[in-house]
Amino acid sequence: MLAAARASHELIVLLTPWAIKRPYIWLEIGAIWGQGKRIVGVLHGLTANELVTQEGTPALLKRIDLVDINRIDTYFDQLKARIERTRSENVRS
């Protein structure tokens, strides 16, 4: 997990009412957060408002990008654009 976290540029994590009660989710999010990398939470079964107002939600989660699972295509379009931009910048360097 640590090697993959170091090699990644961002984390996409599925956040469900059940997943947010699992400590390993917070460990993974914390590992990426500590490296200053982008974190995108995909919401399934709860809204952003429900997540951030829920008691016990870590403060860092209130500062990550959240997307509803029904709008995941928007995230993938943005990710594709970031990858293409990075590739074109690397070609020019």
Side-chain angles (χ1 to χ4, degrees), residues 72-86:
I72 193 74
D73 289 343
T74 302
Y75 166 75
F76 288 130
D77 291 342
Q78 294 168 354
L79 177 61
K80 182 179 176 183
R82 283 194 301 279
I83 291 169
E84 289 171 354
R85 189 171 40 252
T86 300

Side-chain angles (χ1 to χ4, degrees), residues 16-83:
T16 68
W18 311 276
I20 62 173
K21 295 177 183 173
R22 305 288 187 246
Y24 67 86
I25 292 289
W26 305 117
L27 291 172
E28 292 174 357
I29 290 171
I32 296 295
W33 179 264
Q35 295 177 40
K37 296 180 180 180
R38 178 186 186 100
I39 302 170
V40 176
V42 177
L43 302 171
H44 178 64
L46 69 162
T47 66
N49 189 52
E50 290 170 335
L51 180 65
V52 298
T53 59
Q54 192 171 66
E55 188 175 326
T57 298
L60 72 88
L61 195 59
K62 297 174 183 179
R63 296 188 302 261
I64 70 170
D65 293 332
L66 297 172
V67 62
D68 184 89
I69 197 161
N70 294 316
R71 297 187 42 85
I72 193 74
D73 289 343
T74 302
Y75 166 75
F76 288 130
D77 291 342
Q78 294 168 354
L79 177 61
K80 182 179 176 183
R82 283 194 301 279
I83 291 169

